[in-house]
């Protein structure tokens, strides 16, 4: 039997057994619409079915239908797991910041950006890499071709300036004076 004859023979068996395939798939999937979709997919796959002789074409088609139903259920289970994991990872409504906290955070970020704009380039770069890009101090040291302790000193200078700025705007908790003194010590003054 050639390919056309083979596919034609499978199609003839498929058409003859279609009601039984549908009942099988409805039992496997629990849904008539999904069973019909699998039957359509099975019909399309008959074009690419193996061209060799098949001893029992009906059993072959039942096996294909059953495997397609199993694959469909597995995909649905994976999709459900993925959707559940995604929805579980999303913050709840109570976890979103309110408008006031959001505005305060934006204002503080603007203040930090203003301080960073006035810092020496190396200090600002180290701070941005550490806080905004979340690189490790070792990675920053390699990127800037300095030691890890050099990175620590640059970060310390940045933190001191930021805290000093916050202290001058009345937001700090009283550490600004002490931090300014530490900053002077770090700068060698």
């Amino acid at each position: 039997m050639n390919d056309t004859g083979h596919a034609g023979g499978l199609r003839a068996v498929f058409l003859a057994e279609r009601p039984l395939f549908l009942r099988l798939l409805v039992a496997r999937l629990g849904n008539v619409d999904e069973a019909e979709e699998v039957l359509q997919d099975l019909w399309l796959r008959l074009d690419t079915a193996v061209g060799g002789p098949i001893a029992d074409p009906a059993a072959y088609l039942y096996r294909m239908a059953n495997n397609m139903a199993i694959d469909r259920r597995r995909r649905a289970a994976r999709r459900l797991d993925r959707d559940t994991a995604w929805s579980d990872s999303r913050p709840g409504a109570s976890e979103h910041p309110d408008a006031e906290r959001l505005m305060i955070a934006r204002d503080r970020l603007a203040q930090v950006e203003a301080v960073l704009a006035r810092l020496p380039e190396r200090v600002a770069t180290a701070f941005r890499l550490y806080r905004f890009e979340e690189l490790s101090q070792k990675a920053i040291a390699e990127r800037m071709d300095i030691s890890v302790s050099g990175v620590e000193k640059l970060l310390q200078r940045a933190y001191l300036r930021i805290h000093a700025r916050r202290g001058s705007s009345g937001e700090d908790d009283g550490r600004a004076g002490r931090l300014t003194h530490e900053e002077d010590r770090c700068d060698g003054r």
Side-chain angles (χ1 to χ4, degrees):
M1 188 181 295
N2 63 21
D3 286 345
T4 305
H6 172 73
L10 285 176
R11 283 191 176 123
V13 172
F14 175 87
L15 291 174
E17 301 285 330
R18 189 181 189 288
L20 295 176
F21 289 137
L22 182 61
R23 284 192 2 211
L24 168 81
L25 292 171
V26 169
R28 296 281 190 265
L29 298 171
N31 185 317
V32 175
D33 292 335
E34 286 189 54
E36 288 285 350
E37 288 178 20
V38 171
L39 278 180
Q40 284 185 335
D41 291 343
L42 179 61
W43 176 259
L44 294 174
R45 282 192 182 184
L46 293 179
D47 287 337
T48 59
V50 176
I54 298 172
D56 189 354
Y60 178 78
L61 291 175
Y62 277 109
R63 172 70 74 179
M64 282 181 70
N66 189 49
N67 289 342
M68 292 173 72
I70 291 170
D71 289 346
R72 192 174 188 94
R73 284 194 327 221
R74 286 181 182 160
R75 282 194 306 268
R78 282 194 301 263
R79 185 174 41 249
L80 180 63
D81 289 345
R82 184 183 61 238
D83 292 348
T84 301
W86 183 80
S87 64
D88 288 347
S89 68
R90 294 188 48 90
S94 64
E95 298 173 25
H96 287 287
D98 59 18
E100 181 182 349
R101 289 177 39 197
L102 192 61
M103 288 177 55
I104 291 170
R106 285 184 181 155
D107 185 52
R108 287 183 178 166
L109 179 61
Q111 290 176 0
V112 169
E113 287 289 345
V115 170
L116 290 177
R118 290 190 306 258
L119 287 175
E121 184 60 32
R122 291 172 52 89
V123 175
T125 299
F127 184 82
R128 282 191 176 97
L129 292 173
Y130 188 68
R131 296 298 291 195
F132 297 152
E133 295 185 23
E134 299 180 353
L135 292 179
S136 68
Q137 291 183 4
K138 183 178 179 183
I140 296 169
E142 291 173 0
R143 183 181 284 191
M144 296 180 71
D145 197 27
I146 60 176
S147 67
V148 173
S149 69
V151 172
E152 290 171 350
K153 290 176 185 172
L154 293 174
L155 291 174
Q156 185 179 22
R157 288 178 63 189
Y159 286 127
L160 292 172
R161 297 271 174 109
I162 291 168
H163 285 292
R165 167 73 176 143
R166 289 183 64 196
S168 67
S169 66
E171 293 181 25
D172 204 355
D173 56 3
R175 293 180 295 174
R178 184 186 63 198
L179 295 173
T180 302
H181 175 70
E182 291 174 6
E183 180 183 23
D184 290 343
R185 194 178 71 210
C186 290
D187 288 341
R189 293 183 219 161

